[in-house]
């Protein structure tokens, strides 16, 4: 992550003393940065820009710089020391920003706190940049049963900075027809005859991705059961592990959740739906017939659960800390709760990948019965609630 530091200084102060103190101030901070000084010409090019308010009497200087150079849509982070009225000036500047609806924050305190906060902010700003570089699409329409999972494209554009396109499902079907078949490969559990075509679907979707230059999508995958007599489960498992965001059932809010999570964590997310909720234990059993292959320690092939055809994935993820995450299609609601993956299941009466998650806050389980955001939710490895909520602020 790249971090740039700009400075603003009152001409009334002794320049040599200020420069010496600046060197001392940064010598105690534990992060790599590109020192720009008073030259703001490259503002906005780094993942994170910081402005070191080195002295008091800089409020109007900042106002001039801000009006001429800075981006009104970009959060402003001010570094403030304990010397030369740096903090007082920073407070006046931040108040001026807030009056104009501009986000900002003063980084002040111990060297350890400032370094830690800069690291956190750099991740958040890198995530924002990644979101703006997203090219997303829905392949086919959302599945008919997703009656509460619409997406507000205008809200997505305004808040996350990218559009969501539409690609007819017929394009994926034509790409499949144009993809050469592959020899049979045994995979057990009665799906050996379906594996070659499951891999053809994977190759077909890679063609669609390349042609439309997208890096995130969700597909109306159940249509493939009828038209191709196979599923997209294996294709999505592989594509997610290759760095794309690949969602199921044309569920756009689930795809948005996966995009947001990946922009922040750099990792894949598992789209699944609750199959059982135990509010007394604070546990939820999640299941789906696919999971990114980079999230599991091992996996097995089986058939797709509902149809009994095609290739489904039974993945076994490492037990430990997880976060369950979901945003609504208009980005007005968010669910983010942490817990532990306590068991991988193998019931024949559920979608093939099954995970029992015990929430840290047992009350979180009641959300799924009282006020859920649709049925699909995204499971992430690790604890990310704080970072996700701050990004979505």
């Amino acid at each position: 992550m790249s971090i740039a530091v700009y400075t603003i200084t009152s001409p009334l102060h002794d320049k040599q003393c200020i420069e010496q103190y600046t060197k001392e101030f940064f010598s105690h901070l534990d992060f790599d940065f590109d020192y720009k000084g008073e030259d703001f010409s490259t503002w906005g090019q780094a993942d994170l820009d910081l402005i070191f308010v080195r002295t008091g009497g800089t409020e109007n200087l900042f106002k001039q710089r801000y009006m001429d150079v800075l981006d009104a849509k970009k959060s402003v982070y001010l570094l403030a020391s304990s010397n030369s009225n740096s903090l007082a000036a920073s407070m006046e500047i931040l108040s001026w920003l807030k009056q104009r609806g501009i986000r900002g924050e003063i980084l002040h305190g111990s060297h350890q706190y400032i370094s830690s906060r800069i690291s956190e902010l750099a991740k958040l700003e890198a995530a924002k940049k990644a979101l703006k570089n997203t090219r997303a699409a829905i392949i086919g329409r959302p599945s008919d049963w997703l009656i509460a999972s619409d997406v507000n494209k205008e809200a997505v554009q305004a808040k996350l900075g990218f559009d969501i396109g539409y690609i007819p499902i017929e394009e994926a079907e034509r790409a499949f027809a144009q993809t050469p078949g592959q020899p049979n490969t045994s995979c057990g559990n009665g799906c050996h005859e379906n594996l070659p075509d499951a891999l053809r679907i994977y190759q077909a979707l890679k063609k669609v991705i390349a042609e439309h230059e997208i890096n995130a999508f969700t597909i109306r995958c159940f249509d493939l059961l009828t038209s191709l007599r196979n599923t997209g489960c294996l294709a999505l498992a592989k594509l997610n592990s290759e760095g794309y965001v690949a969602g199921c059932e044309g569920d756009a809010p689930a795809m948005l959740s996966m995009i947001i999570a990946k922009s922040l964590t750099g990792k894949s997310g598992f789209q699944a739906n609750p199959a059982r909720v135990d509010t007394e234990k604070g546990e939820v059993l999640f299941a789906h017939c696919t999971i990114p292959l980079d999230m599991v320690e091992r996996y097995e092939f089986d058939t797709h659960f509902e149809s009994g055809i095609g290739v489904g994935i039974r993945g076994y993820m490492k037990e430990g800390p997880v976060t369950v995450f979901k945003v609504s299609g208009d980005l007005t609601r968010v669910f983010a709760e942490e817990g532990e993956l306590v068991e991988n299941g193998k019931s024949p009466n559920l979608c093939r990948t099954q995970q029992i998650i015990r929430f840290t806050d047992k009350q979180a389980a009641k959300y799924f019965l009282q006020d859920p955001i649709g049925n699909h939710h995204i499971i992430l490895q690790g604890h990310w609630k704080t970072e996700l909520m701050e990004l979505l602020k």
Side-chain angles (χ1 to χ4, degrees), residues 174-288:
R174 282 196 296 271
F176 175 85
Q178 296 165 1
T179 301
Q182 300 187 28
N184 285 349
T185 304
S186 177
C187 62
N189 291 327
C191 72
H192 61 280
E193 62 186 21
N194 298 315
L195 185 58
D197 279 351
L199 292 171
R200 284 178 69 190
I201 293 174
Y202 159 73
Q203 294 292 344
L205 288 178
K206 288 207 75 169
K207 290 180 182 179
V208 174
I209 287 170
E211 289 173 2
H212 290 270
E213 298 181 333
I214 58 175
N215 53 25
F217 71 93
T218 180
I219 183 171
R220 186 182 170 102
C221 50
F222 272 73
D223 280 13
L224 304 181
L225 294 170
T226 302
S227 62
L228 306 182
R229 296 296 299 169
N230 213 309
T231 68
C233 301
L234 179 58
L236 302 183
K238 287 174 65 64
L239 289 168
N240 274 303
S241 68
E242 293 172 5
Y244 301 98
V245 168
C248 316
E249 300 178 36
D251 189 331
M255 176 186 69
L256 284 181
S257 304
M258 294 171 76
I259 291 170
I260 292 167
K262 190 173 184 65
S263 74
L264 179 68
T265 69
K267 300 177 181 180
S268 299
F270 171 36
Q271 176 183 332
N273 53 267
R276 186 182 72 224
V277 177
D278 187 329
T279 57
E280 294 177 331
K281 293 183 178 179
E283 292 182 352
V284 178
L285 169 60
F286 292 89
H288 230 216

Side-chain angles (χ1 to χ4, degrees), residues 4 23 39 51 202 380:
K23 291 181 181 178
D39 181 5
I51 300 175
Y202 159 73
L380 308 170

Side-chain angles (χ1 to χ4, degrees), residues 53-82:
V53 182
R54 300 201 291 184
T55 70
T58 51
E59 294 87 344
N60 263 310
L61 289 174
F62 174 86
K63 184 177 176 180
Q64 294 167 11
R65 286 287 189 188
Y66 186 82
M67 298 301 291
D68 293 342
V69 181
L70 308 186
D71 182 354
K73 294 181 180 180
K74 185 179 176 68
S75 298
V76 177
Y77 300 110
L78 307 171
L79 274 171
S81 72
S82 301

Side-chain angles (χ1 to χ4, degrees), residues 230-386:
N230 213 309
T231 68
C233 301
L234 179 58
L236 302 183
K238 287 174 65 64
L239 289 168
N240 274 303
S241 68
E242 293 172 5
Y244 301 98
V245 168
C248 316
E249 300 178 36
D251 189 331
M255 176 186 69
L256 284 181
S257 304
M258 294 171 76
I259 291 170
I260 292 167
K262 190 173 184 65
S263 74
L264 179 68
T265 69
K267 300 177 181 180
S268 299
F270 171 36
Q271 176 183 332
N273 53 267
R276 186 182 72 224
V277 177
D278 187 329
T279 57
E280 294 177 331
K281 293 183 178 179
E283 292 182 352
V284 178
L285 169 60
F286 292 89
H288 230 216
C289 279
T290 184
I291 184 171
L293 298 183
D294 59 339
M295 292 184 70
V296 299
E297 295 183 305
R298 61 186 178 90
Y299 62 91
E300 304 164 354
F301 291 130
D302 203 333
T303 55
H304 178 252
F305 169 61
E306 288 92 343
S307 65
I309 65 173
V311 178
I313 309 292
R314 180 179 293 108
Y316 298 87
M317 201 166 84
K318 183 178 181 180
E319 295 176 1
V322 296
T323 303
V324 180
F325 176 58
K326 182 69 178 292
V327 295
S328 61
D330 59 2
L331 300 172
T332 61
R333 294 187 61 204
V334 57
F335 176 84
E337 290 293 340
E338 297 172 345
E340 299 286 319
L341 170 60
V342 296
E343 184 181 345
N344 291 277
K346 196 175 180 180
S347 170
N349 300 315
L350 291 172
C351 291
R352 306 313 185 188
T353 296
Q354 302 159 23
Q355 298 181 350
I356 297 177
I357 290 175
R358 181 180 298 145
F359 286 100
T360 304
D361 178 3
K362 291 184 178 181
Q363 298 302 310
K366 293 182 179 179
Y367 148 88
F368 297 94
L369 304 180
Q370 297 175 353
D371 198 21
I373 306 174
N375 70 68
H376 293 126
H377 285 67
I378 310 305
I379 298 170
L380 308 170
Q381 290 176 298
H383 286 166
W384 296 98
K385 178 179 178 178
T386 300

Side-chain angles (χ1 to χ4, degrees), residues 40-201:
F40 280 67
S41 61
T42 58
W43 176 267
Q45 296 180 13
D47 290 327
L48 177 65
D49 291 319
L50 303 173
I51 300 175
F52 184 22
V53 182
R54 300 201 291 184
T55 70
T58 51
E59 294 87 344
N60 263 310
L61 289 174
F62 174 86
K63 184 177 176 180
Q64 294 167 11
R65 286 287 189 188
Y66 186 82
M67 298 301 291
D68 293 342
V69 181
L70 308 186
D71 182 354
K73 294 181 180 180
K74 185 179 176 68
S75 298
V76 177
Y77 300 110
L78 307 171
L79 274 171
S81 72
S82 301
N83 284 11
S84 303
N85 287 320
S86 169
L87 179 58
S90 297
M91 292 170 63
E92 187 73 15
I93 290 169
L94 183 60
S95 298
W96 182 82
L97 290 168
K98 297 286 187 178
Q99 289 172 0
R100 285 151 184 79
I102 300 167
R103 289 190 175 277
E105 180 179 339
I106 298 169
L107 308 182
H108 176 80
S110 70
H111 297 122
Q112 293 81 4
Y113 168 76
I114 294 174
S115 296
S116 174
R117 186 62 182 144
I118 287 173
S119 177
E120 293 169 356
L121 291 173
K123 288 181 181 178
L124 291 173
E125 293 302 320
K128 293 177 186 178
K129 185 176 290 187
L131 285 171
K132 291 180 180 179
N133 291 330
T134 298
R135 291 181 56 86
I138 303 174
I139 303 178
R141 300 297 180 187
S143 294
D144 296 341
W145 48 85
L146 297 179
I147 61 173
S149 298
D150 294 332
V151 65
N152 185 323
K153 295 182 180 181
E154 291 75 20
V156 172
Q157 173 63 58
K159 296 180 181 181
L160 301 182
F162 64 87
D163 294 315
I164 300 176
Y166 168 72
I167 302 171
I169 191 70
E170 290 79 12
E171 286 199 30
E173 294 167 345
R174 282 196 296 271
F176 175 85
Q178 296 165 1
T179 301
Q182 300 187 28
N184 285 349
T185 304
S186 177
C187 62
N189 291 327
C191 72
H192 61 280
E193 62 186 21
N194 298 315
L195 185 58
D197 279 351
L199 292 171
R200 284 178 69 190
I201 293 174

